[in-house]
Amino acid sequence: MEARHLRYALTLAEHAHFGRAASALGIAQPPLSKQIADLEREVGTRLFDRTRQGVFPTAAGAAFLARARRALDEITAASADAARAARGETGRLRLGFIASALLQPLPDVLGRFVRERPDVQLELHEMATKRSTAALVSGELDVAIGLGRPRGVGAEQLVSVPIGHDHLVAVVSSTHPYAGQSSVDVDQLRRQPLIVAPGEDEPAVVTGLRTLLGKDSPALAGATVARDIHTIISLAACGWA
C-alpha cells in the first residue's frame, strides 16, 4: 500500500464520483478505478459502494479513510520535519570552543543562533584545540572553534575555515614599567617572565611565541602556564609577570 492509494481513496470519498475524482487527481478514470479496486483487494473488504447516485464509503471504508487521513497528515508532517532538519532548523548542534572564543566571535554568533534557530538544541563544550579535533574525528562534536588548522590523528578528514585572526597582545599590570607604553618590542619580552597557555592545549600560540622569541628562550623556559585566558589576564593584573 502506497501513499498515493490513500490519496486516491480520500479524493474519491470527497468527490463521490470516479470521473470528478480522477479529474481532481489529474489522472484518467480507468486507472483510478483500477487503483481503488487493487486497494480493496489488499485491505480485504469493499471500501466503496458504487451506486447510480454516486460512490460512497462503506462502513469499512469510513473506518479506513479516518486512519488514511491521519496517515497522510503524518507523512506530510514527516516530510516537513525532514526538510526543517536538512535546513538546520531543528535537531542538535554540538559545539566545541576555546575559552578565548567567548571574547570574539562567540557572543554575537550564539545570540543570533538562539534567536534564529529556537528549535535547535545547542550543546556547548569548552575544550582545547587538540581535544576538540579529536572530538570532531570521533563524532562527539559537530563543529569546533580552535586555534590554527586541526592537527593530530584523523585531522585530514576535517575541513577548516578561517573565521578570524588573533594578534599577540602583551598584558601587564597597571604598575608594571611597560604599562605606559603603547607597544613593546621582542627584546623587552625576552627579558620578562611570561604567563602562557600550555603547548599541548594551544600549539599555535606556543609555536608563534617560539618563533618570535627563539626556541630556547629563557622567557618561555621559565614561563608560568595557565590554561584559561581569564586566568592569564588575572595573573598579569596581580603583577605575576
Side-chain angles (χ1 to χ4, degrees), residues 84-169:
R84 292 190 66 205
R87 293 192 298 267
E89 296 175 3
T90 62
R92 178 181 62 166
L93 180 65
R94 300 165 299 174
L95 170 65
F97 63 95
I98 55 175
S100 59
L102 287 174
L103 303 176
Q104 183 70 24
L106 270 187
D108 291 339
V109 171
L110 290 180
R112 180 180 173 185
F113 186 91
V114 170
R115 289 192 302 273
E116 297 183 357
R117 298 287 189 271
D119 295 326
V120 175
Q121 179 186 352
L122 184 61
E123 295 183 6
L124 302 178
H125 305 274
E126 181 190 348
M127 57 180 66
T129 301
K130 184 177 180 180
R131 172 70 185 92
S132 66
T133 297
L136 284 170
V137 173
S138 67
E140 299 173 49
L141 291 179
D142 301 305
V143 63
I145 298 176
L147 285 175
R149 292 182 177 276
R151 297 177 177 84
V153 178
E156 70 280 357
Q157 306 172 28
L158 305 177
V159 176
S160 62
V161 179
I163 60 173
H165 299 279
D166 273 344
H167 300 280
L168 286 176
V169 177

Side-chain angles (χ1 to χ4, degrees), residues 170-181 233-241:
V171 178
V172 297
S173 72
S174 58
T175 59
H176 194 280
Y178 296 166
Q181 299 181 197
I233 293 174
S234 296
L235 287 172
C238 293
W240 189 261

